[in-house]
Amino acid sequence: AEARLATWIGDDRAPAEDLPFNSLEAPAFRKFPALPLLLQELREDFGVTTGMSGSGSACYALLPESADAGAITARVRKAWGESAFVCEARIRRSA
């Protein structure tokens, strides 16, 4: 993970989509099929990169600057309910 991060930080052309990896996604997705279903829908409908963090406590979508975060938030809440926690954050490169 540290080597992947160092490579990404050192190459300002490397896309953020190349950075994340989670070996726990497959078992969690088998146990909770709602997770991969929504993430696939977000990928197909919005063209974003999606994934799961840690052991499944949170999922994420990497949006381009031009993406409509409100539409994606609405889709998540439609699928998982109005109480679904959604947080918008930005990834910034620093050397």
Side-chain angles (χ1 to χ4, degrees):
E2 294 297 323
R4 290 170 64 115
L5 179 59
T7 299
W8 181 76
I9 289 171
D11 181 357
D12 63 352
R13 293 168 297 163
E17 292 83 356
D18 291 349
L19 187 59
F21 173 77
N22 186 345
S23 62
L24 295 175
E25 265 189 7
F29 285 3
R30 283 192 299 274
K31 186 170 181 175
F32 302 104
L35 296 173
L37 289 173
L38 178 59
L39 298 186
Q40 180 65 33
E41 185 178 309
L42 295 176
R43 284 191 297 273
E44 291 174 358
D45 293 351
F46 296 99
V48 297
T49 297
T50 61
M52 182 187 81
S53 68
S55 60
S57 60
C59 293
Y60 62 85
L62 299 177
L63 285 59
E65 290 291 329
S66 61
D68 182 359
I72 294 171
T73 296
R75 183 71 60 87
V76 169
R77 290 200 170 125
K78 179 180 178 188
W80 291 342
E82 287 299 316
S83 65
F85 176 75
V86 179
C87 178
E88 185 176 346
R90 298 199 183 272
I91 299 173
R92 300 210 192 281
R93 292 178 195 267
S94 62

